[in-house]
Amino acid sequence: MTASIDIKNVTKRFGSLTVLDELSLSIPANEFVVFLGPSGCGKSTLLRMIAGLESVDSGEILINGERIDNQPPGQRGVAMVFQSYALYPHMTVGDNMAFGLKNISVERSVIDARIAEAARMLEIGHLLDRKPGQLSGGQRQRVAIGRAVVKEPKAFLFDEPLSNLDAALRTRTRIELAQLHQRLKSTMIFVTHDQIEAMTLADRIVVMNNRKIEQIGAPMEIYNRPATRFVAGFVGAPAMNFLPVKIRVEDGLVTAATDAGLCIKTAIPSEGLAAGDYELGLRSEHVRITPPTGDAAEGVVDVLERLGERTLVYVRLNDGQQIVGSDSGDSRVSVGDRVGLAFEGAKAHLFDATGKAWHGRESGHG
Amino acid sequence: MADPVNGNARRAESVDIYAPQWRNFLFVAPYLFIFAAFLVFPLFWGIWLSFHKADTFSSGPFIGFGNYARLFRDGIFLQSIWNTFYFVFLTVPALALIGLFLALCLNRQTRSAAVLRTLFFSSSVLSVTIVTLIWRIVYIPDMGLLSMIYGFFGAKAPAFLSDPDIAMIGIAIATIWWCIGLPMMLFLSALQQIPQDIYEAAALDNANRWQTLRSITLPSIKRTFVLVVIIQIVFQFQLFGQAWLMTKGGPNNLTKPIVLYIYNTAFQRWDIGLGAAASEILFLLILVAAMAQFLLTRRKADA
Ligand SMILES: Nc1ncnc2c1ncn2[C@@H]1O[C@H](COP(=O)(O)OP(=O)(O)O)[C@@H](O)[C@H]1O
Ligand SMILES: [Mg+2]
C-alpha cells in the first residue's frame, strides 16, 4: 500500500512559541522524502502531526486526498519508527510486531504470515521469542522497522531512526532502508538532522529552518542550487565558504570583489541584481590549493583535514577570513605554509542581504 | 606454573575500585549496631523467651514447646489468627486495587488531580488515634455521620462497631481510608516511569484504552504491584491500634487480631512466655505470606 500526503497551510504552536508557520507540502505516492534541518526546527513536530501524535492548530493534512488531521493516530494507516524504538518492553519481538494487527482483529494466520515475511526480510527470525531488553541496539532498530512493515501502512514515518546506532551500523542500515523502500514501494518520510542521511536516502529533501520550509528539491539540486544562504551553509560538509563582496558586471556576468582586492569572475547573470552588499559562496571542492601567488588569493594554512581521497585545507587570508580549500589526498602542504588559492568562479553562488541565492547557468550541471 | 607469591604481588598493583574496603564498613557500622541491638537481639531473645515459662519478674524454667502447645489449645488465639487473616484478606486486595485505580485516575498534570492526590495522601499522615476518632464519629449509632445519611433515606445504618458480622469490615474500611495514600503514591511513581513513547506507539497500533491498560500499563507496573502487596501484607498483619481503639477486640473477640492477643497476654496478664510464643507465630506467618507472594510472582514474571 502507498499513498500521497498533502500538508496544507499547517500551523503549530506550543503556548506562545510558533513552531511551524503556514507550512505547505505535497508528497506524491511512493516518494522517499527527508525532512532535513537543525535540531529544534520542528521536523519531529511535523512528522508527529502527520502521525496524529500532535494536534494541528490550523491547516489540513490529507492522505490520498482524504482529510485525516481529525482522525485518531491508529486510523490514519501510517506506521512510525521512533528514535528510541519505543518497543513494548514486556512483549516478545513477535508480540511486538503482532500487537497492532491483533488490535484490529486481523486473523492469526495472516498475522503469522506477515511476521514471518518481515522477519525474513529484516533477518530477525531468530529473535522472535526474545524480549527487547535482550537485543542489541541494531536488532531493536530492525524490530522497530519490522513492527512498522507488518502493518502494511500507507506511509512510513521515521523520526531520526539511525541516530542511536554506531557509525558502521548506521551506514549499513541506511543502505538497507533504501533497499526496503525499493522493495515495498511505499511512501516514506524520514526526519534527520544529518545531511549525509538526507543526501543518500531522499528522492526529495525538504530543508526546514525557523518555522518554515527553506527549499524542497532533489538532493543534487539542493546541493548545487541551494535556494537560500541557510540551505547553502547547512547542506554540504565542510560548510560552504562565504565571502562578503561587492559586485560589478562584465559581459552580463557578475564579477565579485572583496575589500582585500580579491576578484572572482562568476557565471551568474547580472539581470535583476541591484548594486549593494552580497556574499559569495563557494564549496571547498571549487577552491584548489596552488603555490603562493603573491596576490590577495594567498594565505597561511591553519588546519589540515586528511580525508584520504582528498585533503581539506583551512587557509587564513591576509584579511583574517578563513577559506576551506581542497587538495589531493597526498597533499604535501603542512600547517603554517603559505599557499595560493584558485577559485572556480563558474561554480560560485551569490546571496543577497535577504539570504536569497543567485546561481550561474552552469551550476547544477557538474 | 604460576608463582602464587608473584601472582599476588602483581594483582596488588592494579587498582580495582570495586574491591571491598574495610574502612567502608565504618559507614554502615552505626546502623548495623542499632539493627543488632534493637532488632536481631530482641528477635533471638523472643525466641528464647518463648521456650521458657516467663513472667515480668523472672524467666522460669525451660519448657520446650509448652507455650506453643498452650497457644494452640487456646480458642481465643486461634480466633485471633483467623481474625487477622480475615482482616488481611479484606484490606490488602482492596488497598492494592483501589490504590491502583486512584493512581490511574489521578496520573495527569491537571490542578484538580494534584489537589486530589494530596487529599487522598493526607489521611496517611494522621496518627491511628485521630483516624479511629474520625471513624468512630462516622460509625457511632444514632448520631454518627453514617446514621445521619441512612436516616435521611429513612433507613437504619449498619452497626459497624457492634454487629459481630460486620465489625471487622468496619475496621477494614477505616484502615483502607487511612492507608490508601502509600499504595497510590507508589503506583503513581511507577506510572510516571513508563516512557511516553510506548503509549504513542500503542496509539499508532490502534490500541484502545482497555488494550492499552491491559497490554502496556499493567505489565509495566507489575513489580510495583508485588511491592505494594508485600508491604501491605507485612503491615496489615500487625493490626493493633484500630482494633484496640475502635472495638477493644470485641464483640466477643471477633475483631481481636494477633497483636492485640499478644498485648493482652504479655502486658495485661503478664504471661510473657506465651506472648513471646504468639509473637514468633505472627513473625512466621508474615514471613511465609510475604515470601509466598514474592516467589509466586517472580516465577510468573520469568515464564
Ligand atoms: N510538547 C512540547 N511542548 C513545548 N514545546 C515543544 C514541544 N515539543 C516540541 N517543542 C518545541 O518545538 C520546537 C520543535 O521541536 P521538534 O519538532 O522536536 O524539533 P526537531 O525534531 O526538528 O529537532 C522546539 O523548539 C521544541 O522545544
Ligand atoms: Mg526531533
Side-chain angles (χ1 to χ4, degrees), chain A residues 5-162:
Chain A
I5 299 176
D6 291 285
I7 295 163
K8 291 186 180 165
N9 304 320
V10 159
T11 298
K12 178 68 189 177
R13 291 182 207 92
F14 289 112
S16 61
L17 175 76
T18 304
V19 182
L20 300 171
D21 195 7
E22 292 281 318
L23 199 132
S24 295
L25 172 66
S26 263
I27 302 169
N30 293 348
E31 195 169 60
F32 198 128
V33 176
V34 173
F35 294 171
L36 176 67
S39 276
C41 72
K43 310 178 295 287
S44 298
T45 305
L46 183 56
L47 196 74
R48 291 164 57 81
M49 285 161 81
I50 298 171
L53 301 174
E54 211 75 74
S55 64
V56 177
D57 285 326
S58 73
E60 296 178 3
I61 301 176
L62 302 94
I63 293 185
N64 268 346
E66 183 195 352
R67 189 160 173 199
I68 50 105
D69 51 86
N70 39 20
Q71 291 178 0
Q75 279 175 24
R76 301 183 180 199
V78 299
M80 183 153 166
V81 177
F82 294 79
Q83 179 173 1
S84 56
Y85 314 139
L87 299 176
Y88 310 121
H90 45 271
M91 292 186 204
T92 63
V93 167
D95 289 339
N96 260 282
M97 291 164 76
F99 188 61
L101 300 175
K102 275 190 209 155
N103 289 339
I104 52 171
S105 312
V106 176
E107 259 181 66
R108 188 71 230 189
S109 59
V110 177
I111 298 179
D112 289 340
R114 286 201 203 169
I115 291 179
E117 166 66 13
R120 192 186 54 73
M121 193 158 72
L122 294 161
E123 295 165 22
I124 50 174
H126 58 295
L127 304 175
L128 289 179
D129 293 327
R130 294 208 207 155
K131 297 255 177 89
Q134 299 162 301
L135 305 180
S136 71
Q139 290 171 328
R140 278 179 222 184
Q141 169 67 267
R142 283 159 179 277
V143 174
I145 294 173
R147 187 171 68 179
V149 168
V150 293
K151 293 206 281 185
E152 300 186 351
K154 294 180 195 155
F156 287 85
L157 310 176
F158 297 94
D159 192 354
E160 311 218 10
L162 307 183

Side-chain angles (χ1 to χ4, degrees), chain A residues 233-363:
Chain A
F234 190 73
V235 177
M240 187 181 277
N241 296 299
F242 293 103
L243 290 164
V245 294
K246 299 260 191 304
I247 59 169
R248 60 173 196 273
V249 181
E250 275 172 32
D251 306 330
L253 298 178
V254 169
T255 295
T258 68
D259 286 344
L262 185 63
C263 246
I264 299 170
K265 265 178 83 98
T266 72
I268 301 166
S270 61
E271 292 124 55
L273 279 170
D277 288 337
Y278 287 86
E279 271 188 301
L280 186 83
L282 258 176
R283 296 205 183 275
S284 64
E285 62 261 38
H286 302 136
V287 180
R288 273 181 305 102
I289 304 299
T290 63
T293 49
D295 61 15
E298 190 186 283
V300 180
V301 177
D302 261 351
V303 179
L304 282 176
E305 277 185 341
R306 297 195 181 273
L307 302 182
E309 83 284 7
R310 64 186 171 132
T311 305
L312 297 177
V313 186
Y314 292 70
V315 180
R316 192 159 301 281
L317 301 183
N318 295 335
D319 59 357
Q321 167 95 32
Q322 195 180 53
I323 299 274
V324 189
S326 60
D327 203 0
S328 58
D330 52 3
S331 167
R332 298 270 190 75
V333 227
S334 51
V335 173
D337 286 358
R338 275 196 92 72
V339 294
L341 297 170
F343 296 94
E344 215 177 316
K347 299 288 170 56
H349 314 270
L350 206 59
F351 303 95
D352 66 20
T354 64
K356 183 178 174 339
W358 306 78
H359 308 286
R361 292 204 183 88
E362 264 186 61
S363 47

